[in-house]
C-alpha cells in the first residue's frame, strides 16, 4: 500500500424483484421483472471458493484490530491468506538499526497460521515508512542497511512466508516511465536487483515479488517500465518470481478491461502474478467480479488480496471500497466475488445495484461526477453502469448508492431537490415503488421527477406532484 449501518444481506434484494411492472422504453410496454432463481454454491466463503482453482483470496490484517471480534471473525471465516497491513514494514520491524522488533508482526503471523492461513510478507525495501535512522542514510551505507534489513527480517521468517513483496513502488507516477526519485534509487540503479539477490539468498523457499500501484492498465508508461524491468531480470537471471498489482481502483485510476492483458503479458515472461491490495471506490460489484475473473483467466495468477476487512478498516474508508460494510454485513460486491470464484455458481445472485432509467429520456438516475458529498443533487445522464448509477433497494424502502448513501428528499414540496445523503433512516429517505413505474417519496407523497420534463444530460431531479408523465416513470436499465 502507498502508506495509499446497512441492512443484513438476507433482507437486501434487487430492484428487479420489486418492480413488477416498470414501463420499459418508448413502447410503453410493461414488463414483469423477476429475480433469477438462486444458484447453489460450490463454496460459501471467499477463501474456500478461491481454493477450488488452487488460488487464495486474502486480506490485509492489522494486529491492533484482531481484538475486535467482528473483524477477527470475518477475517478468519472468509480468507485463506493474510498480509500484515503495516506490521512487517521497515519502520515496524527495525525501529533502530540492527535492533529488530517482531512483536506486532508475529501477532499477525501467529494468528494467521493458527487459523490455517498462508502469509504474504509486505514489504522489505521501500522508499516510504522508513524509520528515521534509515531516512538519514545515503549511498553505500544505505545499501548495506537495506541488505541488513532484508537479511534480518527474512531470517526471522525463513521458510514461513509464502511470498515476499521484496521491493515496493519503485517507479514514478505519470508518463515518464522513470524510476521514482528516492534515497534508495539515488544509491544506484541496481538497488532493486541487489534487494532480490539478497532476498533469494536469505530464504530460497519464498516467492519473491515486485509490487506496485497504477500498473494495471497495459497502456500506461509506468506499466511498461515495470514490464521492461521484469523482462530484463528474467533474461539476466535476477531472481524474481512474481509481480504484485496493488489494484487500488478509483476515479483517478479506474479499472480498465485490459487488466487481463496486463496479467497475461507479465505471466508470459515466466513470473506469477497476484492482485495484492485490492480496493475499489464505491465497491462496484461488476468491477470486483471483473478483477476476480481476470485473475481466474490467467493460469499463473496466484490469488487476490483485499486491503482490509470492512470499509471502516480501509485506508480509504471515505470511498467505501471493500466487501463488508462497517457493521460487518456483506455487500453486493461480496456476492459478486463469491459468484465469480464459484464459476458463476453461488448461494445468492450477485445482488448488485441496478440503474434506474427515465422512460421519458432513456437516461439514468446519476450522481454527478460520482460525488460522495452529502447534498449532491441528482441528475439524468447517459447510462454507463458506473457505481454512481447503481441503486439498491432495501426492505427499509431506501435506494442506496455506494453502499451507504441514500436517495434523499431535501423537502416535502414541489420542486424540492432530490439528493444523496448519508443513510439515517428518515422517512425522507424512503420510497414507494408503484406498478406504473413511478417512485414516490413516503414522507411527501410526491414523485421522483425530471425537472421541466427535461431529457438531456444534466437535467436535475426533484420532487413533484405525480402526473404519470414519462419524466416521472422509471425502468430498470
Amino acid at each position: 500500500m502507498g502508506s495509499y449501518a446497512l441492512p443484513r444481506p438476507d433482507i437486501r434484494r434487487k430492484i428487479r424483484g420489486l418492480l413488477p411492472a416498470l414501463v420499459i422504453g418508448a413502447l410503453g410496454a410493461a414488463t414483469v421483472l423477476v429475480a433469477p432463481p438462486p444458484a447453489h454454491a460450490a463454496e460459501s466463503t471467499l477463501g474456500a471458493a478461491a481454493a477450488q482453482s488452487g488460488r487464495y483470496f486474502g486480506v490485509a490484517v492489522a494486529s491492533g484490530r484482531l481484538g475486535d471480534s467482528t473483524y477477527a471473525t470475518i477475517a478468519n471465516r472468509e480468507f485463506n491468506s493474510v498480509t500484515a497491513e503495516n506490521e512487517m514494514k521497515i519502520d515496524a520491524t527495525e525501529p533502530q538499526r540492527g535492533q529488530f522488533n517482531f512483536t506486532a508482526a508475529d501477532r499477525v503471523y501467529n494468528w494467521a497460521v493458527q487459523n490455517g492461513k498462508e502469509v504474504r510478507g509486505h514489504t522489505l525495501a521501500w522508499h516510504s515508512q522508513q524509520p528515521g535512522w534509515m531516512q538519514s542514510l545515503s549511498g553505500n551505507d544505505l545499501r548495506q542497511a537495506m541488505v541488513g534489513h532484508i537479511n534480518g527480517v527474512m531470517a526471522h521468517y525463513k521458510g514461513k512466508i509464502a511470498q515476499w513483496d521484496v521491493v515496493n513502488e519503485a517507479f514514478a507516477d505519470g508518463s515518464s516511465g522513470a524510476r521514482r526519485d528516492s534515497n534508495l534509487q539515488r544509491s544506484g540503479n541496481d538497488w532493486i536487483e541487489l534487494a532480490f539477490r539478497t532476498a533469494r539468498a536469505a530464504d530460497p523457499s519464498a516467492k519473491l515479488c515486485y509490487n506496485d500501484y497504477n500498473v494495471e492498465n497495459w497502456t500506461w508508461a509506468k506499466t511498461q517500465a515495470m514490464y521492461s524491468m521484469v523482462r530484463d531480470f528474467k533474461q539476466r537471471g535476477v531472481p524474481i518470481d512474481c509481480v504484485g498489482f496493488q489494484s487500488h481502483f478509483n476515479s483517478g485510476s479506474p479499472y480498465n478491461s485490459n487488466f487481463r492483458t496486463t496479467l497475461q503479458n507479465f505471466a508470459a515472461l515466466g513470473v506469477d502474478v497476484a492482485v495484492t491490495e485490492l480496493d475499489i471506490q464505491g465497491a462496484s460489484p461488476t468491477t470486483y467480479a471483473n478483477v476476480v475473473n481476470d485473475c481466474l483467466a490467467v493460469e499463473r495468477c496466484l490469488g487476490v488480496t483485499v486491503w482490509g476487512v470492512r470499509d471502516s478498516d480501509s485506508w480509504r474508508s471515505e470511498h467505501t471500497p471493500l466487501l463488508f460494510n462497517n457493521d460487518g454485513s456483506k455487500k453486493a460486491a461480496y456476492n459478486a466475488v463469491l459468484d465469480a470464484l464459484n464459476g458463476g455458481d453461488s448461494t445468492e445472485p450477485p445482488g448488485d445495484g441496478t440503474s434506474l432509467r427515465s422512460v421519458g429520456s432513456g437516461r439514468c438516475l446519476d450522481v454527478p461526477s460520482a460525488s460522495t458529498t452529502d447534498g449532491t443533487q441528482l441528475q439524468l445522464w447517459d447510462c454507463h453502469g458506473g457505481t454512481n448509477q447503481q441503486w439498491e433497494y432495501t426492505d427499509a424502502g431506501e435506494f442506496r448508492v455506494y453502499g451507504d448513501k441514500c436517495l434523499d428528499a431535501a423537502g416535502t414540496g414541489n420542486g424540492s431537490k432530490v439528493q444523496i445523503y448519508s443513510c439515517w433512516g428518515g422517512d425522507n429517505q424512503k420510497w414507494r415503488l408503484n406498478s406504473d413505474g413511478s417512485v414516490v417519496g413516503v414522507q411527501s407523497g410526491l414523485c421522483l421527477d425530471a425537472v421541466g420534463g427535461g431529457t438531456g444530460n444534466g437535467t436535475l431531479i426533484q420532487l413533484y406532484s405525480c402526473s404519470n408523465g414519462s419524466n416521472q416513470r422509471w425502468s430498470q436499465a
Side-chain angles (χ1 to χ4, degrees), residues 353-372:
T354 302
S355 297
L356 289 179
R357 188 192 302 270
S358 167
V359 170
S361 67
R363 293 189 164 90
C364 280
L365 186 65
D366 177 280
V367 184
S369 303
S371 172
T372 58

Side-chain angles (χ1 to χ4, degrees), residues 201-444:
D203 187 355
S205 66
K207 286 184 181 290
L208 308 181
C209 305
Y210 176 80
N211 190 56
D212 216 325
Y213 67 96
N214 284 358
V215 287
E216 295 78 22
N217 189 318
W218 178 245
T219 67
W220 286 358
K222 190 174 180 180
T223 310
Q224 292 300 309
M226 184 173 75
Y227 179 83
S228 295
M229 180 191 74
V230 175
R231 181 178 57 194
D232 173 62
F233 280 10
K234 293 301 291 184
Q235 289 172 346
R236 294 193 296 109
V238 178
I240 183 169
D241 304 309
C242 43
V243 177
F245 298 82
Q246 292 184 16
S247 304
H248 296 296
F249 294 117
N250 54 68
S251 57
S253 180
Y255 168 83
N256 188 291
S257 61
N258 70 24
F259 183 35
R260 186 175 302 187
T261 299
T262 304
L263 295 176
Q264 290 169 333
N265 287 344
F266 275 86
L269 292 176
V271 292
D272 294 328
V273 294
V275 178
T276 55
E277 304 183 19
L278 179 63
D279 49 32
I280 299 171
Q281 183 176 354
S284 161
T286 300
T287 305
Y288 259 108
N290 286 342
V291 173
V292 171
N293 283 321
D294 289 342
C295 178
L296 293 173
V298 179
E299 185 176 357
R300 296 198 69 151
C301 185
L302 300 169
V304 175
T305 297
V306 289
W307 206 251
V309 177
R310 305 161 298 191
D311 284 338
S312 54
D313 307 311
S314 171
W315 69 305
R316 287 177 164 171
S317 58
E318 71 278 10
H319 289 172
T320 60
L322 296 176
L323 299 176
F324 294 88
N325 295 301
N326 295 350
D327 66 355
S329 59
K330 299 171 183 175
K331 290 187 182 182
Y334 170 94
N335 297 320
V337 168
L338 184 64
D339 186 65
L341 292 170
N342 277 324
D345 183 23
S346 61
T347 51
E348 346 177 25
D352 54 312
T354 302
S355 297
L356 289 179
R357 188 192 302 270
S358 167
V359 170
S361 67
R363 293 189 164 90
C364 280
L365 186 65
D366 177 280
V367 184
S369 303
S371 172
T372 58
T373 302
D374 285 349
T376 300
Q377 186 169 5
L378 301 175
Q379 64 179 4
L380 294 179
W381 200 263
D382 292 332
C383 300
H384 53 69
T387 56
N388 63 322
Q389 294 185 352
Q390 295 293 306
W391 300 90
E392 188 162 17
Y393 191 74
T394 75
D395 274 9
E398 303 162 324
F399 277 102
R400 289 187 177 235
V401 66
Y402 310 134
D404 63 351
K405 299 293 183 182
C406 274
L407 185 68
D408 178 287
T412 57
N414 280 339
S416 295
K417 80 172 182 177
V418 176
Q419 61 189 4
I420 59 166
Y421 210 87
S422 297
C423 299
W424 64 281
D427 284 346
N428 67 316
Q429 294 185 343
K430 296 178 181 177
W431 305 85
R432 185 173 64 251
L433 311 178
N434 297 321
S435 59
D436 64 357
S438 62
V439 178
V440 177
V442 168
Q443 184 182 60
S444 66

